[in-house]
């Protein structure tokens, strides 16, 4: 009987367990498979009716699914009211009435492929271009005692730094417009630049500034070229210089009486104001000199008390004051470049050789990575296909390192605290690495190459300037020396290029060059050995031969100079 009771008890327990398991299996599991419940951009728009019209734009252009995927984007999001005002401006009744191609370009202009918070904004362009290709300009405005951030000089940010799952959103009160006028058309449309427009037409430069960009596609990657930058002068600036008409301009500058002749002074007057490439104020501010379309002529740049000054130099102890760039009238984006205005009239200045301190890490591709470039404790490696001004043999990536302060690697002691890291600087890997230099004024220079030494597995390197080999080799295993008189050391072709001194860095004199033309040149480094370790390079100095080769020294870990 006891056995039977025990058996019944066991059967009841088994039935309870079975029913429990059956219940659990039949109940849907409510497991949160996401680690982050923050919605992505498209879902954010779907949840907020006040942005429904921009959502419609995304859907019409097939961007809605794309903007709902993983990534790090910045969206400048116009409200429905902003889009309604835009539709009125273009004469469209609804979003769907805007030509699809125009809509695509408009949407792409509002999106950046990098997360950029307002704390990273400066008074000028954001380093990362929009998906459309044109840059976004930010600034500050004070209206009625209320300060706000402006975007492209026409829109204000109403709400900023809205975090979403795949980036960040800034709400704006006006739709950003794609710049569809050329440099020539943009300048001509400004009545205050009417005399400058006449000068462009008289010299033939109007047609050159009216040319569209050239598109080249290689392996599926499209590159636009032909951007130019123009430094304009208003009628008021001309008037202050006693120039009130095109006739006055010709009388003052056209020495051949043939403005269409590239050698005529009026033609040179205009070409001196046309710069290659796309160069916003943020680019001018960090450029020691600017190449111009006037043959062999450059414009020097100095940043002083928040102003960008052109051609400010001291000659024979006399200061020649610079020409201020007008910030308000500058950073005007066009379809093929950017327009700036200056506050005074100026002409070509003949230049003597001047030192150039070329920080090898200061490449456009590294500079636009605002979270990495000159941010201590960060580095990035980029494939050679991404670079426009650096080329090399081999497939290894090129690495930029901005070491943390007090780093055991001592890389933070370099000038500006950053170095270029070359992985396996040897034949078959990274070899014949060539850098496009900044503008060098014609003349004779001594070339110094600085590096972070390593006692083993580092290369011996030959330098070439514009393809011509320099006589002295660089041994990356030679360390800096401080126990020999600095002038004796200099006579042997060595020096400490940074101050305070650290023997972790050394600088080698490679030879003397004769720069025949003012402009940008090429310096190439060829490894003559096959070491198996990384190599680090800091800066290349081009110092005029009649200049002191030791002083000023470059500031260790900083951007300045030490006398």
């Amino acid at each position: 009987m006891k056995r039977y009771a025990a058996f019944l008890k066991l059967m009841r327990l088994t039935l309870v367990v079975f029913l429990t398991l059956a219940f659990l299996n039949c109940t849907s599991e409510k497991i949160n498979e996401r680690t982050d419940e923050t919605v992505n951009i498209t879902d954010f728009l779907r949840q907020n009716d006040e942005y429904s019209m921009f959502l419609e734009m995304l859907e019409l252009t097939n961007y809605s699914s794309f903007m709902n995927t993983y990534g790090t984007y910045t969206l400048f999001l116009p409200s429905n009211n902003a889009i309604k005002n835009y539709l009125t401006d273009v004469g469209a009744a609804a979003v769907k009435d805007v030509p699809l191609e125009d809509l695509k370009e408009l949407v792409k202009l509002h999106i950046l492929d990098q997360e950029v918070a307002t704390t990273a904004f400066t008074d000028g362009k954001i380093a990362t271009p929009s998906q459309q290709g044109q840059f976004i300009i930010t600034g500050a405005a004070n209206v009625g005692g209320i300060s706000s951030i402006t975007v492209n000089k026409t829109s204000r940010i109403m709400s900023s730094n809205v975090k979403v799952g795949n980036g960040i959103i800034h709400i704006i009160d006006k739709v950003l417009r794609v710049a569809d006028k050329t440099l020539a058309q943009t300048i001509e449309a400004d009545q205050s630049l009417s005399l400058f427009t006449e000068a462009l037409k008289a010299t033939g430069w109007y047609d050159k500034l009216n040319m569209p960009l050239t598109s080249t596609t290689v392996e599926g990657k499209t590159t636009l070229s032909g951007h130019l930058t123009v430094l304009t002068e208003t009628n008021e600036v001309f008037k202050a210089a006693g120039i009130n008409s095109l006739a006055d301009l010709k009388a003052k500058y056209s020495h051949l009486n043939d403005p269409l002749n590239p050698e005529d002074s009026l033609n040179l007057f205009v070409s001196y104001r046309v710069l290659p490439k796309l160069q916003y104020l943020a680019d001018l501010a960090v450029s020691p000199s600017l190449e111009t379309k006037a043959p062999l002529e450059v414009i020097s740049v100095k940043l002083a008390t928040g102003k960008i000054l052109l051609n400010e130099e001291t000659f024979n102890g006399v200061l020649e004051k610079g020409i201020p760039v007008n910030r308000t009238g500058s950073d005007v984006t066009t379809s093929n470049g950017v327009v700036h205005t200056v506050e005074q009239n100026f002409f070509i200045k003949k230049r003597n050789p001047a030192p150039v301190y070329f920080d090898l890490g200061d490449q456009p591709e590294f500079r636009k990575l605002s979270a990495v470039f000159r941010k201590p404790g960060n580095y990035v490696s980029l494939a050679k296909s991404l670079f426009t001004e650096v080329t090399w043999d081999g497939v290894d990536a090129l690495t930029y390192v901005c070491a943390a302060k007090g780093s055991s690697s001592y890389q933070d002691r370099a000038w500006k605290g950053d170095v270029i890291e070359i992985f396996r600087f040897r034949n078959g890997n990274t070899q014949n690495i060539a850098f496009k230099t900044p503008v060098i004024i014609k003349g004779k220079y001594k070339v110094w190459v600085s590096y972070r030494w390593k006692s083993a597995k580092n290369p011996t390197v030959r330098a070439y300037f514009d393809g011509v080999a320099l006589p002295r080799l660089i041994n990356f295993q030679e360390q800096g020396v401080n126990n020999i008189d600095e002038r004796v050391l200099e006579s042997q072709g060595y020096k400490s290029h940074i101050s305070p001194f650290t023997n972790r860095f050394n600088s080698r004199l490679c030879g003397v060059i004769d720069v025949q033309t003012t402009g940008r040149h090429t310096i190439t480094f060829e490894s003559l050995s096959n070491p198996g370790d990384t190599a680090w390079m800091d800066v290349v100095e081009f110092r005029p031969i009649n200049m002191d080769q030791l002083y000023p020294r470059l500031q260790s870990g900083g951007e300045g100079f030490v006398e």
Side-chain angles (χ1 to χ4, degrees):
M1 187 69 181
K2 289 183 179 179
R3 262 187 210 177
Y4 181 71
F7 175 75
L8 289 178
K9 185 176 181 181
L10 180 59
M11 288 295 292
R12 284 195 296 269
L13 180 60
T14 302
L15 182 60
V16 170
V17 172
F18 175 78
L19 291 174
T20 301
L21 290 174
F23 175 78
L24 290 174
N25 285 334
C26 293
T27 303
S28 60
E29 296 184 34
K30 296 182 178 179
I31 300 175
N32 185 357
E33 295 180 350
R34 295 186 61 180
T35 57
D36 183 359
E37 295 186 1
T38 306
V39 296
N40 287 338
I41 289 174
T42 303
D43 282 339
F44 174 86
L45 301 179
R46 287 174 178 146
Q47 293 178 9
N48 292 273
D49 291 340
E50 61 266 41
Y51 312 120
S52 60
M53 296 183 77
F54 192 79
L55 175 62
E56 184 182 355
M57 287 183 170
L58 292 182
E59 290 172 340
L60 288 171
T61 56
N62 292 323
Y63 262 66
S64 57
S65 58
F66 169 68
M67 294 308 296
N68 219 32
T69 58
Y70 173 78
T72 52
Y73 303 106
T74 298
L75 171 63
F76 290 91
L77 173 59
S79 64
N80 285 351
N81 284 337
I83 294 177
K84 288 175 183 177
N85 291 333
Y86 162 75
L87 294 176
T88 299
D89 289 343
V90 299
V95 169
K96 61 182 176 61
D97 297 327
V98 179
L100 185 59
E101 287 305 313
D102 292 349
L103 211 56
K104 287 180 179 179
E105 294 299 302
L106 195 71
V107 165
K108 290 189 291 184
L109 183 65
H110 289 74
I111 302 169
L112 312 184
D113 285 330
Q114 186 174 340
E115 191 173 306
V116 184
T118 54
T119 52
F121 289 179
T122 59
D123 185 12
K125 76 166 186 179
I126 295 175
T128 302
S130 69
Q131 288 189 352
Q132 192 273 339
Q134 294 180 0
F135 285 89
I136 301 296
I137 308 298
T138 60
N142 190 296
V143 180
I146 300 175
S147 296
S148 59
I149 298 173
T150 61
V151 184
N152 283 5
K153 301 188 177 186
T154 60
S155 178
R156 290 184 303 154
I157 291 182
M158 310 308 293
S159 180
S160 62
N161 305 318
V162 179
K163 184 66 180 172
V164 290
N166 59 346
I168 199 168
I169 295 175
H170 306 299
I171 314 298
I172 55 177
D173 68 346
K174 191 171 183 180
V175 172
L176 306 179
R177 303 295 288 271
V178 176
D180 55 4
K181 289 186 174 66
T182 64
L183 286 160
Q185 293 166 344
T186 301
I187 293 169
E188 185 174 26
D190 188 339
Q191 290 302 308
S192 71
L193 301 176
S194 61
L195 182 50
F196 192 83
T197 302
E198 289 185 65
L200 292 180
K201 292 181 177 179
T203 57
W205 273 98
Y206 184 95
D207 293 337
K208 297 175 184 177
L209 299 181
N210 205 32
M211 297 290 291
L213 297 176
T214 301
S215 175
T216 305
T217 302
V218 179
E219 296 180 354
K221 180 181 178 182
T222 300
T223 303
L224 296 176
S225 58
H227 290 96
L228 295 172
T229 299
V230 183
L231 305 171
T232 64
E233 294 184 19
T234 66
N235 297 341
E236 288 299 315
V237 168
F238 279 123
K239 184 177 180 180
I243 302 170
N244 296 289
S245 65
L246 181 60
D248 290 344
L249 260 178
K250 289 180 177 179
K252 186 175 180 67
Y253 293 117
S254 184
H255 77 297
L256 297 178
N257 198 30
D258 182 11
L260 290 172
N261 187 330
E263 296 182 359
D264 183 86
S265 294
L266 181 56
N267 197 294
L268 291 170
F269 174 90
V270 174
S271 61
Y272 192 54
R273 287 156 173 74
V274 182
L275 315 178
K277 301 191 307 179
L278 192 64
Q279 302 188 68
Y280 286 84
L281 292 183
D283 304 305
L284 302 187
V286 297
S287 302
S289 58
L290 306 170
E291 185 179 357
T292 75
K293 287 296 185 176
L296 311 182
E297 301 297 344
V298 299
I299 297 173
S300 65
V301 182
K302 182 179 290 185
L303 190 61
T305 61
K307 283 192 172 183
I308 296 175
L309 302 175
L310 307 180
N311 285 344
E312 177 160 298
E313 300 288 350
T314 300
F315 290 102
N316 298 321
V318 178
L319 174 66
E320 297 181 0
K321 290 188 176 181
I323 308 301
V325 177
N326 186 310
R327 285 183 175 272
T328 304
S330 297
D331 275 351
V332 178
T333 299
T334 72
S335 64
N336 59 347
V338 61
V339 175
H340 305 299
T341 60
V342 297
E343 296 181 2
Q344 297 173 26
N345 183 53
F346 68 102
F347 192 60
I348 296 172
K349 282 194 175 184
K350 296 300 179 182
R351 290 295 175 203
N352 294 320
V356 174
Y357 306 102
F358 180 23
D359 178 10
L360 296 176
D362 192 356
Q363 301 298 329
E365 294 74 21
F366 293 138
R367 178 173 283 278
K368 74 178 183 180
L369 301 176
S370 56
V372 175
F373 187 72
R374 295 198 181 140
K375 296 295 190 297
N378 290 279
Y379 72 93
V380 66
S381 297
L382 299 179
K384 70 176 183 179
S385 60
L386 300 176
F387 288 91
T388 57
E389 299 184 354
V390 188
T391 59
W392 65 90
D393 300 335
V395 297
D396 288 341
L398 185 63
T399 299
Y400 169 88
V401 179
C402 185
K405 297 296 183 182
S407 170
S408 60
S409 69
Y410 285 83
Q411 292 165 351
D412 63 304
R413 274 70 157 187
W415 190 44
K416 301 186 179 180
D418 57 12
V419 295
I420 286 290
E421 180 177 291
I422 303 172
F423 180 56
R424 297 181 299 188
F425 194 1
R426 63 183 185 183
N427 188 33
N429 297 102
T430 303
Q431 177 73 312
N432 298 317
I433 184 166
F435 296 84
K436 201 76 171 174
T437 72
V439 173
I440 304 175
I441 299 171
K442 60 183 178 181
K444 290 188 175 182
Y445 297 82
K446 290 185 176 181
V447 181
W448 297 86
V449 176
S450 304
Y451 58 93
R452 197 285 203 195
W453 73 275
K454 203 168 188 180
S455 60
K457 298 183 180 180
N458 255 220
T460 297
V461 173
R462 185 187 298 279
Y464 296 79
F465 184 79
D466 286 345
V468 178
L470 301 184
R472 293 181 174 176
L473 303 181
I474 314 164
N475 183 351
F476 278 43
Q477 295 182 32
E478 289 183 322
Q479 70 181 61
V481 176
N482 199 34
N483 58 359
I484 298 177
D485 181 85
E486 60 184 7
R487 294 299 174 183
V488 174
L489 199 62
E490 178 193 354
S491 69
Q492 297 172 355
Y494 297 93
K495 70 173 182 175
S496 174
H497 75 295
I498 54 175
S499 181
F501 170 82
T502 171
N503 69 352
R504 300 286 177 161
F505 282 88
N506 198 12
S507 187
R508 177 63 162 151
L509 175 63
C510 294
V512 176
I513 59 173
D514 187 359
V515 180
Q516 295 293 320
T517 58
T518 296
R520 303 188 70 189
H521 298 267
T522 302
I523 187 161
T524 305
F525 301 101
E526 175 192 18
S527 177
L528 302 178
S529 56
N530 281 283
D533 212 337
T534 53
W536 302 288
M537 302 184 72
D538 184 15
V539 62
V540 179
E541 298 179 61
F542 300 91
R543 294 200 180 209
I545 57 172
N546 59 356
M547 176 183 176
D548 191 318
Q549 299 298 308
L550 300 185
Y551 297 94
R553 285 195 167 103
L554 310 183
Q555 183 183 10
S556 175
E559 298 189 14
F561 299 87
V562 179
E563 298 292 340

